[in-house]
Amino acid sequence: MKERQFYMVRDDVLSESMQKTLEAKSLLDRGKVKTVAEAAEKVGLSRSAFYKYRDGIFPFHTMIKEKIITLSINLEDRSGALSSLLTIVASVGCNVLTINQTIPLQGRANVTLTIETNGLRGEINELLSTLNRMEAVERVEVIGTGA
């Protein structure tokens, strides 16, 4: 299967149907209407056009905001190290989705941490730098991102 490609375009180059689809999705998300039929009617769009575009067009802030990141972290085997790491992640507004940790070998374990960054206060690079500065952390790298 071919990998999906994404493009960022200005709103003034979107077709009228695409713009109206975004308006209809916003009405639904904010609870201003209850059904797709209501939303489509309110913005002057056919339901078929709404369904054609709804899964393929998103406001830019939504794509950035709803990001999921998977980190690989080499962590020294010491009491409280993982707890301290998770405290930092939570303190910047991230939500931990999964934690996988290997059995420590030669005093080190690998932790794979998947976090949701919807509430992230600051930049992801700041979080990575903070984690890298932890005494028990040897390396942090992003191994996956998604929405």
Side-chain angles (χ1 to χ4, degrees), residues 20-21 23-25 27-29 32-52 54:
K20 288 182 176 185
T21 299
E23 289 176 47
K25 286 175 70 168
L27 290 173
L28 288 162
D29 289 345
K32 300 291 183 183
V33 295
K34 295 197 185 309
T35 66
V36 169
E38 282 181 89
E41 184 179 337
K42 191 159 191 147
V43 299
L45 179 70
S46 71
R47 283 192 335 228
S48 63
F50 175 84
Y51 286 116
K52 178 180 180 180
R54 75 172 177 176

Side-chain angles (χ1 to χ4, degrees), residues 71-122:
L71 304 174
S72 175
I73 304 159
N74 286 348
L75 196 61
E76 289 181 16
D77 182 27
R78 56 167 88 158
S79 181
L82 181 59
S83 177
S84 296
L85 183 132
L86 295 174
T87 298
I88 289 171
V89 169
S91 73
V92 297
C94 292
N95 182 36
V96 175
L97 299 175
T98 64
I99 303 169
N100 295 302
Q101 181 176 339
T102 62
I103 295 173
L105 297 173
Q106 299 177 345
R108 284 158 189 73
N110 180 265
V111 176
T112 304
L113 191 66
T114 302
I115 59 175
E116 186 177 47
T117 61
N118 290 16
L120 177 63
R121 294 181 294 279

